[in-house]
Amino acid sequence: MLKGYTLPRTPKGASSLAPTPPWHYVGTCLAVEYEADPGAVRAFLPPGLEFHSPQCAAYFVEWQYASDTGEEYLDPVRSQYRETIILISASHDGAPVAYCPFIWVDQDVSLLRGWAQGWPKMIGSTWITRAYDLPSPATPVVGPGGRFGATLAVKDRRLAEAVVTLREPASQLPSPTFAGAVNTRHFPELAAGLHHQPAVHELVQLKSRDVRISPIWKGEATLTIFDHPYLELPDLRPTRVLAGYRFSCALTVDDLALLRDLRSK
Amino acid sequence: MLKGYTLPRTPKGASSLAPTPPWHYVGTCLAVEYEADPGAVRAFLPPGLEFHSPQCAAYFVEWQYASDTGEEYLDPVRSQYRETIILISASHDGAPVAYCPFIWVDQDVSLLRGWAQGWPKMIGSTWITRAYDLPSPATPVVGPGGRFGATLAVKDRRLAEAVVTLREPASQLPSPTFAGAVNTRHFPELAAGLHHQPAVHELVQLKSRDVRISPIWKGEATLTIFDHPYLELPDLRPTRVLAGYRFSCALTVDDLALLRDLRSK
Amino acid sequence: MLKGYTLPRTPKGASSLAPTPPWHYVGTCLAVEYEADPGAVRAFLPPGLEFHSPQCAAYFVEWQYASDTGEEYLDPVRSQYRETIILISASHDGAPVAYCPFIWVDQDVSLLRGWAQGWPKMIGSTWITRAYDLPSPATPVVGPGGRFGATLAVKDRRLAEAVVTLREPASQLPSPTFAGAVNTRHFPELAAGLHHQPAVHELVQLKSRDVRISPIWKGEATLTIFDHPYLELPDLRPTRVLAGYRFSCALTVDDLALLRDLRSK
Amino acid sequence: MLKGYTLPRTPKGASSLAPTPPWHYVGTCLAVEYEADPGAVRAFLPPGLEFHSPQCAAYFVEWQYASDTGEEYLDPVRSQYRETIILISASHDGAPVAYCPFIWVDQDVSLLRGWAQGWPKMIGSTWITRAYDLPSPATPVVGPGGRFGATLAVKDRRLAEAVVTLREPASQLPSPTFAGAVNTRHFPELAAGLHHQPAVHELVQLKSRDVRISPIWKGEATLTIFDHPYLELPDLRPTRVLAGYRFSCALTVDDLALLRDLRSK
């Protein structure tokens, strides 16, 4: 009998790209809150979500992952990945939610766990300034004046750059935020005639649990999104940058809520 | 209205990881035909397939891809990828077929097109000796005595190595072969309580079309599969190596046949 | 006794990054001949070379390498690399020569062999359209109308893009050409007070031997060089594109000629 | 006039792979102190160093770098790199020193700064467990019982794996240590007849300054070095593992001391 939460399914079930949840994550986030063109934001919303505001956020995150055993982080090429998340504001049944039009990671295991959650993950290269606890011209301080950069490149083109300068502790996370985001789970059909009738097409909401947040630093930011020949991220580029943030976050994923089946009847 | 054959679905539909088929491929293949332990081969077969023989094949392929426009190969980071395919023999309704327990590629666009076809693709690093049409100690000849190597590494561990020495033209492809392979399409559920009831779980058969094969060279081969702490490929390591091959192949994918829904009722 | 042509030098001498020459190479080249601003070309010439013409060439090459044993290409991650070479025109003692201001490769072994020859190699990501001998929308023909692309990215920024459309066979290589290029060998001092007095600073000319060239295809081309925050390649961007080329080349390197010691006395 | 501390030398001097020192570094280190076969250690020592003890150390480091401007860490693909350092014990004029037979980094800028210091750097892939300041199954604690892993792969083969379990604060760094290491600066000749007479071949000692060390954690460790077809690191594999360490380190490099010219007269 073949076993495995995802492909490849094998006799022992040890080879599948993602193991059965729960999946535990901890990461350090650099974030930029900004506004985009309201019409562009509206155009990216799937059925079931309504326009709420033009406020968006870009997150650049250095994650470490483990299953319940915790063993993955001892072979860290299995566990660590870097991610860029773009979130736009929306409302669902009158409640404000976050929706993800674009997200990039640099590991296949993260990509597949993401597709199970409806994150539209593609492979991209994210780099984020680190902080070290020693005085050196080679590191910013985690405190007033500390400057942190982040970049995203996709298929050998730089797509985004951010710089955040910390100013003061803050009590609130940037908004929109990712822990309870609304996503679209989608899996296509390939049989002839069915290319436009996906096998899975669902609006879902994440139910992250055991969410823990470190002290939050806030300050000013810049965010540049570069032109691209086919990726539509530049349609969501900043018209105004609101603030920058730095914090760490831990959470566990093993559930989600189905909001609506988007398949046409 | 959001458009796109896969996620991410966007207003213009230009951003999705895989465009609507057809998908056109051309590749140069180094292949090793071998026998594995019959019990191991049997253990990897999904419901709906029966054991046919212990014969397996490993393919190492340097592919180039394009949609109907052909434009992707002008920005080749979008188009080219390298792949290692492991195929085992099986029979379906009495007819011999190929089944794929493991396959690795090095690009996300190939990974996602693969998942739509039921290929259990993961990210891996494949390297294959190239042939050049000039006399040089730096290239083998495509002819008697020409030696070609191939290697596979996954997450910083070498998993397989092959060397093929060409001897003579051949009229038959290695067996099992990939163009009409039987795969398992699978997409998991994440909602609590449903982790063992996938949303999609289907036995399917590829319907590649416009398959074209170059002249085929055949010879002897070695194939080494290394131990691995969790990937089960070593269970399918060679007990006897039969032959090595080198050829090129072109094909188009835009259809498949559903053989059986594997979801439990 | 430690042995090795380069570091690391070890008891068996098997570990050094580059083995003792000869070094054998074979590669497929996509090239664009173009003119840059004459003042910019002049500004890039080292002492000992004079301005000759504003003609430049960009080469995108997919190489395979071997030492005398030929074994490296059977473990092709040791042997294969992709390269972008920029050449400008110059004259030395009245004779026209090529000089290399910029060159990028994707393997350390190539980088170090390059530094020994005076090539100012840095790590970059080069992609080049391949040709396959089968009819497919996924490959250009090596013949009239065949279109080939190439791209260069450095540290997650795209720096150059070219497209060549083949029109007809040609009897001449693009100019300037790389086999007998003039380079600057340079190795810095680190001791305090000596940072501006390099240990090695020489104008040298390559003495490639056993150079073999395939039939050459020529046609029209485009070449775009993108802005960059610190790399000065954009100063050498095209004011006029002359022609595009595709050909293969084999050569052996185990010698060079010292033209001039550039160290100040 | 061309400018640049290293190649490529250009009109503005902004393009060279390494800028003029000082070079500032800060990094987090996982280290394993161990003993190797005394005869093997002795065999790796260059002229000018004598055998001192069989004690070795392996360091796995996640570095961030900046020049005096500090700007590099805001575009972190220019600044960050991961490194594996192997050090053996030696004595020079009766004083104990560290000598580096092997070292791997993952960025060209680090490779070239290293060669200027005599570090025999090659490109390799290092991964190291990170610690986060939040309770999560996805991170070890920096404290008693915290387990950290590190791995090294070179050209698609895993070469080393370590696991360190922290037990208690320590007041001493692992030995041998890298800040004042003795290295071999070496740059080959390529002209025919001179392949065995390097242009530069010097025994040097690093003069790192502004060295700062964080609190040090110590515990037990495992270290596995895998067989390799040509790299001689397995000759230095552990016969006994002594201890594991975790700490951070900052230092500045802009000088070194010439101990001895190793060129034959």
Side-chain angles (χ1 to χ4, degrees):
Chain A
M1 221 201 44
L2 300 181
K3 292 178 257 178
Y5 179 69
T6 67
L7 298 181
R9 288 170 50 83
T10 53
K12 298 188 194 96
S15 307
S16 74
L17 203 36
T20 302
W23 303 327
H24 307 288
Y25 300 87
V26 60
T28 300
C29 308
L30 197 71
V32 179
E33 243 177 15
Y34 72 96
E35 286 179 1
D37 174 71
V41 169
R42 191 184 302 269
F44 273 89
L45 295 177
L49 295 187
E50 293 83 46
F51 179 79
H52 175 72
S53 95
Q55 189 160 327
C56 302
Y59 293 83
F60 305 91
V61 195
E62 198 147 43
W63 291 108
Q64 195 163 267
Y65 154 88
S67 63
D68 276 347
T69 68
E71 290 296 311
E72 288 86 351
Y73 67 64
L74 297 180
D75 187 6
V77 66
R78 295 183 69 185
S79 165
Q80 297 177 357
Y81 64 103
R82 283 177 276 182
E83 183 168 69
T84 298
I85 314 173
I86 305 295
L87 292 181
I88 60 179
S89 297
S91 67
H92 176 259
D93 281 353
V97 294
Y99 176 76
C100 176
F102 291 108
I103 181 170
W104 289 270
V105 295
D106 57 8
Q107 288 275 14
D108 56 356
V109 292
S110 166
L111 190 140
L112 250 290
R113 287 189 313 249
W115 280 62
Q117 299 172 63
W119 295 108
K121 290 188 178 181
M122 302 195 277
I123 296 289
S125 170
T126 298
W127 289 83
I128 308 162
T129 308
R130 293 194 190 114
Y132 293 81
D133 278 337
L134 290 168
S136 163
T139 181
V141 295
V142 182
R147 298 177 73 206
F148 293 79
T151 62
L152 167 70
V154 180
K155 300 227 174 299
D156 277 11
R157 282 187 178 92
R158 189 160 291 191
L159 198 49
E161 287 179 3
V163 175
V164 172
T165 306
L166 306 186
R167 292 300 172 200
E168 61 199 355
S171 56
Q172 287 217 296
L173 288 172
S175 169
T177 192
F178 53 80
V182 170
N183 283 336
T184 306
R185 273 170 47 95
H186 182 281
F187 193 72
E189 286 288 4
L190 181 56
L194 299 178
H195 296 171
H196 296 289
Q197 301 187 342
V200 176
H201 196 188
E202 305 172 340
L203 198 69
V204 297
Q205 185 161 22
L206 301 185
K207 298 173 72 171
S208 308
R209 62 176 171 86
D210 296 343
V211 179
R212 290 187 179 87
I213 306 290
S214 74
I216 302 167
W217 280 88
K218 184 174 180 178
E220 69 257 21
T222 62
L223 174 65
T224 306
I225 294 178
F226 297 97
D227 288 340
H228 193 277
Y230 54 92
L231 291 176
E232 295 158 64
L233 179 62
D235 292 346
L236 294 171
R237 64 161 48 101
T239 54
R240 191 159 74 104
V241 173
L242 303 172
Y245 295 83
R246 188 173 187 275
F247 61 97
S248 293
C249 171
L251 57 83
T252 291
V253 170
D254 57 3
D255 195 8
L256 51 64
L258 175 65
L259 301 183
R260 178 167 165 177
D261 190 331
L262 297 175
R263 288 178 299 178
S264 47
K265 298 300 146 51
Chain B
M1 233 228 359
L2 299 182
K3 292 178 256 178
Y5 180 69
T6 67
L7 298 180
R9 288 169 51 83
T10 53
K12 298 188 194 94
S15 307
S16 73
L17 203 37
T20 301
W23 302 327
H24 307 287
Y25 299 87
V26 59
T28 300
C29 307
L30 196 71
V32 177
E33 242 177 15
Y34 72 96
E35 286 178 1
D37 174 71
V41 169
R42 191 184 303 267
F44 273 90
L45 294 177
L49 295 187
E50 293 85 44
F51 179 78
H52 176 72
S53 95
Q55 189 160 326
C56 302
Y59 293 83
F60 305 91
V61 195
E62 198 147 41
W63 290 109
Q64 196 163 263
Y65 154 87
S67 64
D68 276 348
T69 67
E71 288 298 309
E72 288 88 352
Y73 67 66
L74 297 180
D75 187 6
V77 67
R78 296 184 68 186
S79 164
Q80 296 177 358
Y81 64 104
R82 284 177 277 183
E83 183 170 69
T84 298
I85 313 173
I86 305 294
L87 293 180
I88 61 179
S89 296
S91 67
H92 176 260
D93 283 352
V97 295
Y99 176 76
C100 177
F102 290 109
I103 181 169
W104 290 270
V105 294
D106 57 7
Q107 289 274 15
D108 56 355
V109 292
S110 166
L111 190 139
L112 248 292
R113 289 188 312 249
W115 279 62
Q117 300 171 63
W119 295 108
K121 290 187 179 182
M122 301 195 277
I123 296 289
S125 170
T126 297
W127 289 83
I128 308 162
T129 307
R130 293 191 191 116
Y132 293 82
D133 279 337
L134 289 169
S136 163
T139 181
V141 294
V142 182
R147 297 177 74 206
F148 292 80
T151 63
L152 167 69
V154 180
K155 299 229 175 298
D156 278 11
R157 282 187 179 92
R158 188 159 294 190
L159 199 49
E161 288 179 2
V163 175
V164 172
T165 306
L166 307 186
R167 291 302 173 199
E168 60 200 356
S171 55
Q172 287 216 296
L173 288 173
S175 170
T177 192
F178 54 79
V182 170
N183 284 336
T184 306
R185 274 171 46 96
H186 183 278
F187 193 73
E189 287 288 5
L190 181 55
L194 300 178
H195 295 172
H196 296 288
Q197 301 187 342
V200 176
H201 197 188
E202 305 172 339
L203 197 68
V204 298
Q205 185 161 22
L206 301 184
K207 297 173 73 171
S208 307
R209 62 174 171 86
D210 296 343
V211 179
R212 288 186 180 89
I213 307 289
S214 74
I216 302 166
W217 280 88
K218 184 174 180 179
E220 71 259 20
T222 62
L223 174 65
T224 305
I225 293 177
F226 297 97
D227 288 340
H228 193 278
Y230 53 92
L231 292 176
E232 295 159 62
L233 180 62
D235 292 345
L236 294 171
R237 64 161 50 101
T239 54
R240 191 160 74 103
V241 173
L242 303 173
Y245 295 82
R246 188 174 187 274
F247 60 95
S248 292
C249 171
L251 56 83
T252 291
V253 170
D254 57 5
D255 195 8
L256 52 64
L258 175 65
L259 300 184
R260 180 168 164 178
D261 190 331
L262 296 176
R263 290 178 297 179
S264 47
K265 297 300 146 50
Chain C
M1 225 203 40
L2 299 181
K3 292 178 256 177
Y5 179 69
T6 66
L7 297 181
R9 289 169 50 83
T10 53
K12 299 188 192 96
S15 307
S16 73
L17 203 36
T20 302
W23 303 326
H24 307 287
Y25 300 86
V26 59
T28 300
C29 307
L30 197 71
V32 178
E33 242 177 16
Y34 72 95
E35 286 179 2
D37 174 70
V41 169
R42 190 184 303 267
F44 272 89
L45 295 177
L49 295 187
E50 293 85 44
F51 179 77
H52 176 71
S53 95
Q55 189 160 325
C56 303
Y59 292 83
F60 305 91
V61 194
E62 198 147 43
W63 291 108
Q64 196 164 266
Y65 154 87
S67 63
D68 277 347
T69 68
E71 290 297 310
E72 287 88 351
Y73 67 65
L74 296 180
D75 187 7
V77 67
R78 297 183 68 185
S79 164
Q80 297 177 358
Y81 65 104
R82 284 177 276 183
E83 183 170 69
T84 298
I85 313 172
I86 305 295
L87 293 179
I88 61 179
S89 296
S91 66
H92 175 260
D93 281 353
V97 295
Y99 176 76
C100 176
F102 290 108
I103 181 169
W104 290 268
V105 295
D106 57 8
Q107 289 275 14
D108 56 355
V109 292
S110 166
L111 190 140
L112 249 290
R113 289 189 312 249
W115 280 62
Q117 300 172 62
W119 294 109
K121 289 187 179 181
M122 302 195 277
I123 296 289
S125 170
T126 298
W127 289 83
I128 308 163
T129 308
R130 294 194 189 113
Y132 293 81
D133 279 337
L134 289 169
S136 163
T139 181
V141 294
V142 182
R147 297 177 72 206
F148 292 80
T151 62
L152 167 69
V154 179
K155 299 228 175 297
D156 278 10
R157 282 187 179 91
R158 189 160 292 192
L159 199 49
E161 287 179 1
V163 174
V164 172
T165 305
L166 307 186
R167 292 300 173 200
E168 62 200 354
S171 55
Q172 288 216 298
L173 287 173
S175 170
T177 191
F178 53 80
V182 170
N183 283 336
T184 307
R185 273 170 48 94
H186 183 279
F187 194 73
E189 286 288 4
L190 181 56
L194 300 178
H195 295 172
H196 297 289
Q197 301 186 344
V200 176
H201 197 189
E202 306 172 338
L203 197 69
V204 298
Q205 184 161 25
L206 301 185
K207 297 173 72 172
S208 307
R209 63 175 170 85
D210 296 342
V211 179
R212 290 186 179 88
I213 307 289
S214 74
I216 302 166
W217 280 88
K218 184 175 181 179
E220 70 258 20
T222 61
L223 174 65
T224 306
I225 293 178
F226 298 97
D227 288 340
H228 194 277
Y230 53 92
L231 291 175
E232 295 158 63
L233 179 61
D235 291 346
L236 294 171
R237 66 161 48 101
T239 53
R240 191 160 74 102
V241 173
L242 303 173
Y245 295 83
R246 188 173 187 275
F247 60 96
S248 293
C249 170
L251 57 84
T252 290
V253 170
D254 57 4
D255 195 7
L256 52 65
L258 175 64
L259 300 184
R260 181 167 164 178
D261 190 331
L262 297 175
R263 289 178 298 178
S264 47
K265 298 300 144 50
Chain D
M1 220 200 43
L2 299 182
K3 292 178 257 178
Y5 178 70
T6 67
L7 298 180
R9 288 169 51 83
T10 53
K12 298 187 195 96
S15 307
S16 74
L17 203 36
T20 302
W23 304 326
H24 307 288
Y25 300 86
V26 60
T28 300
C29 307
L30 197 71
V32 179
E33 244 177 14
Y34 72 95
E35 287 179 0
D37 174 72
V41 169
R42 191 185 302 268
F44 273 89
L45 295 176
L49 295 186
E50 294 85 44
F51 179 78
H52 175 72
S53 95
Q55 190 161 326
C56 303
Y59 293 83
F60 305 90
V61 195
E62 199 146 42
W63 290 108
Q64 196 163 266
Y65 154 87
S67 63
D68 276 347
T69 68
E71 290 296 310
E72 288 87 351
Y73 67 65
L74 296 180
D75 187 7
V77 66
R78 295 183 69 186
S79 165
Q80 297 176 357
Y81 65 104
R82 283 176 277 183
E83 183 169 69
T84 298
I85 314 173
I86 305 294
L87 293 180
I88 60 180
S89 296
S91 67
H92 176 260
D93 282 353
V97 295
Y99 177 76
C100 177
F102 291 107
I103 182 170
W104 289 270
V105 295
D106 57 7
Q107 288 274 16
D108 56 355
V109 292
S110 166
L111 190 138
L112 248 291
R113 289 188 313 249
W115 280 62
Q117 299 171 64
W119 295 108
K121 289 188 179 180
M122 302 194 277
I123 296 289
S125 170
T126 298
W127 289 84
I128 308 162
T129 308
R130 292 190 191 118
Y132 294 80
D133 278 337
L134 289 170
S136 161
T139 181
V141 294
V142 182
R147 298 178 72 206
F148 293 79
T151 62
L152 167 70
V154 180
K155 300 229 174 299
D156 277 11
R157 282 187 180 92
R158 189 159 292 191
L159 198 49
E161 287 179 3
V163 174
V164 172
T165 306
L166 307 186
R167 291 300 171 199
E168 60 199 355
S171 56
Q172 287 217 298
L173 288 172
S175 169
T177 192
F178 52 80
V182 170
N183 283 336
T184 307
R185 275 171 45 95
H186 183 280
F187 194 73
E189 287 287 6
L190 182 56
L194 300 178
H195 296 173
H196 297 289
Q197 301 186 343
V200 176
H201 197 189
E202 305 171 341
L203 198 68
V204 297
Q205 185 161 22
L206 301 184
K207 297 173 74 173
S208 307
R209 62 175 170 86
D210 296 343
V211 179
R212 289 186 181 88
I213 306 290
S214 74
I216 302 167
W217 279 88
K218 184 174 180 178
E220 70 258 22
T222 62
L223 174 66
T224 306
I225 294 178
F226 297 97
D227 288 339
H228 193 277
Y230 54 93
L231 291 176
E232 295 158 64
L233 179 61
D235 291 347
L236 293 171
R237 64 160 49 103
T239 54
R240 191 159 74 103
V241 173
L242 303 173
Y245 295 82
R246 188 173 187 275
F247 61 96
S248 293
C249 172
L251 55 84
T252 291
V253 170
D254 57 4
D255 195 6
L256 51 64
L258 175 64
L259 300 184
R260 180 168 164 178
D261 190 331
L262 297 175
R263 288 178 298 178
S264 47
K265 298 298 145 49

